[in-house]
């Protein structure tokens, strides 16, 4: 079963992704028919209201949710493999908050150009990752799952507090609030296009490192005995995580729990080989966020429920289960 599961998952994913895109485009404050979608994609008329809604709002939102879900899920899988920690993810370890802090700094002290936001978001992810792992290395048993999670949460709280303080002092709170209150309906198509090369670079690097992550997940000593240069693999993995998380946060703000939950579901379905975990996590993450976004439009129709509420409702019980069952153990 496990042997065939990755192939089945990867073969079914395109169908689910296309179906998710269609649902995301069709349903919202204004329902749109299949004929209107077809017309907008293949015979776009800028004077047509439906065509404008589809091409400037619905389609970017659908594609953005797929990209963000994919990047965050793969980031979480990489972090869990490198640290051998069941609780590792960009949101739990403060990586997303580091991106938001640096985006805030870019908005306040520099400019709001898309390129600068993307670069600062990437740098924030990298700084937060180095900060958390640096503290964990200093503290005794700092990489123990619950302890590392606590360090990450405290670090994320620190970064978010500094970002909030800066935004309030410089009267930029309303502009910065977007990156803390995720709104996929506010997707910026230019920022989405710009984030694509950064995200793809991180994904490609993750796929290239996937075999090494499988070996590294067995333990540092085992990996070293097999001739692996563990510091190099860990460093490149953190760069991949920073690229993917930075791109995701720059586009839609901080989204919690996807990087924590999706890799565990993937590991249950396909086994422990990261050559399968990385691409399958990306597919499941994209599908999950896309359908969660669609669901958020029906919870309190015709008003939209914030996507973070829908994700939290599904993922927080899973997080509690992980802490209860595996919080004190090491090894992913």
């Amino acid at each position: 079963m496990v042997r065939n599961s990755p192939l089945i998952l990867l073969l079914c994913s395109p169908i689910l992704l296309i179906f998710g895109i269609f649902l995301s485009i069709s349903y919202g404050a204004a329902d749109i028919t299949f004929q209107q979608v077809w017309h907008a994609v293949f015979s776009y008329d800028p004077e047509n209201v439906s065509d404008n809604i589809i091409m400037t709002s619905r389609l970017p939102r659908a594609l953005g949710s797929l990209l963000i879900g994919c990047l965050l899920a793969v980031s979480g899988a990489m972090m869990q493999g490198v640290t051998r920690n069941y609780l590792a993810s960009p949101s739990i370890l403060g990586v997303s908050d580091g991106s938001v802090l640096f985006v805030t700094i870019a908005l306040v002290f520099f400019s709001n150009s898309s390129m600068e936001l993307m670069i600062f978001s990437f740098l924030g992810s990298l700084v937060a990752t180095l900060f958390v792992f640096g503290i964990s290395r200093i503290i005794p048993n700092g990489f123990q799952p619950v302890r590392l999670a606590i360090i990450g949460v405290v670090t994320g709280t620190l970064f978010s507090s500094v970002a909030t303080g800066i935004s309030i002092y410089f009267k930029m709170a309303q502009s910065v609030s977007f990156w803390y209150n995720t709104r996929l309906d506010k997707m910026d198509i230019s920022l989405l296009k710009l984030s694509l090369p950064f995200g793809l670079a991180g994904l490609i690097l993750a796929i290239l490192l996937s075999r090494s992550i499988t070996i590294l997940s067995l333990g540092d000593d085992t990996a070293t005995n097999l001739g692996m240069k563990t510091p190099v693999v860990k460093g490149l993995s953190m760069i991949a995580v920073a690229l993917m998380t930075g791109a995701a946060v720059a586009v839609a703000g901080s989204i919690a729990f996807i990087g924590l939950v999706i890799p565990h579901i993937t590991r249950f379905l396909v086994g422990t080989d990261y050559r399968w975990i990385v691409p399958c996590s990306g597919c499941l993450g994209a599908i999950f966020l896309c359908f969660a976004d669609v669901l958020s439009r029906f919870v309190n129709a015709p008003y939209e429920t914030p996507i973070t509420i829908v994700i939290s409702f599904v993922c927080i019980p899973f997080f509690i289960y992980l802490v209860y069952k595996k919080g004190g153990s090491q090894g992913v």
Side-chain angles (χ1 to χ4, degrees):
M1 175 65 181
V2 172
R3 183 179 301 174
N4 296 324
S5 293
L7 290 175
I8 295 173
L9 180 58
L10 291 176
L11 289 174
C12 292
S13 291
I15 300 173
L16 292 173
L17 290 172
I18 293 172
F19 182 57
I21 291 174
F22 174 74
L23 290 179
S24 183
I25 293 175
S26 299
Y27 294 101
D31 289 342
I32 293 175
T33 65
F34 175 77
Q35 289 78 12
Q36 289 173 313
V37 174
W38 183 274
H39 183 274
V41 174
F42 295 102
S43 304
Y44 176 66
D45 179 7
E47 302 297 325
N48 187 301
V49 176
S50 296
D51 286 8
N52 269 320
I53 292 174
I54 292 169
M55 299 304 291
T56 62
S57 178
R58 297 282 180 89
L59 185 58
R61 179 175 183 171
L63 296 178
S65 64
L66 296 181
L67 177 65
I68 294 162
C70 174
L71 295 178
L72 291 178
V74 175
S75 295
M78 295 288 287
M79 295 182 80
Q80 290 172 13
V82 169
T83 63
R84 302 181 66 240
N85 188 325
Y86 284 99
L87 301 179
S89 74
S91 57
I92 298 296
L93 297 190
V95 179
S96 298
D97 293 296
S99 289
V100 175
L101 171 59
F102 273 65
V103 166
T104 302
I105 292 172
L107 287 172
V108 172
F109 298 106
F110 296 91
S111 73
N112 61 351
S113 72
S114 298
M115 178 59 76
E116 286 191 0
L117 291 180
M118 188 63 59
I119 292 174
F120 272 82
S121 183
F122 162 65
L123 290 176
S125 296
L126 190 59
V127 168
T129 302
L130 295 174
F131 187 84
V132 170
F133 288 135
I135 293 177
S136 300
R137 185 173 294 276
I138 295 172
I139 295 176
N141 299 318
F143 287 99
Q144 188 267 347
V146 173
R147 192 163 297 184
L148 180 60
I150 291 172
I151 294 171
V153 170
V154 171
T155 300
T157 303
L158 171 64
F159 287 165
S160 64
S161 299
V162 173
T164 301
I166 292 174
S167 64
I168 292 174
Y169 183 81
F170 289 96
K171 298 179 175 59
M172 294 284 290
Q174 189 171 0
S175 299
V176 174
S177 65
F178 168 80
W179 279 273
Y180 279 110
N181 302 302
T182 307
R183 295 291 300 273
L184 295 178
D185 59 311
K186 302 296 183 183
M187 193 74 63
D188 185 342
I189 187 64
S190 63
L191 200 55
L192 181 60
K193 290 178 181 178
L194 186 61
S195 70
L196 195 58
F198 288 87
L200 287 178
L203 281 173
I204 292 171
L205 185 55
I207 291 172
L208 293 176
L209 291 169
S210 57
R211 180 177 179 276
S212 299
I213 298 298
T214 302
I215 298 172
L216 191 61
S217 66
L218 301 174
D220 288 359
D221 293 339
T222 302
T224 302
N225 291 335
L226 291 173
M228 178 183 293
K229 297 179 180 179
T230 55
V232 175
V233 173
K234 288 182 177 181
L236 291 174
S237 297
M238 291 306 101
I239 291 174
V241 168
L243 282 168
M244 291 185 286
T245 305
V249 171
V251 171
S254 179
I255 302 179
F257 295 116
I258 291 178
L260 173 70
V261 172
I262 297 300
H264 285 284
I265 296 174
T266 305
R267 203 174 290 111
F268 173 78
L269 293 174
V270 307
T272 58
D273 190 342
Y274 276 80
R275 288 175 294 182
W276 290 116
I277 290 174
V278 167
C280 290
S281 290
C283 292
L284 283 180
I287 293 168
F288 175 80
L289 186 57
C290 184
F291 279 89
D293 181 40
V294 174
L295 180 61
S296 70
R297 307 175 203 181
F298 290 94
V299 173
N300 188 31
Y303 306 102
E304 289 196 21
T305 301
I307 185 69
T308 51
I309 294 178
V310 176
I311 294 173
S312 298
F313 183 79
V314 175
C315 295
I316 284 179
F318 193 92
F319 173 72
I320 295 172
Y321 168 81
L322 285 175
V323 173
Y324 176 74
K325 285 289 188 179
K326 303 177 179 181
S329 63
Q330 192 91 0
V332 174

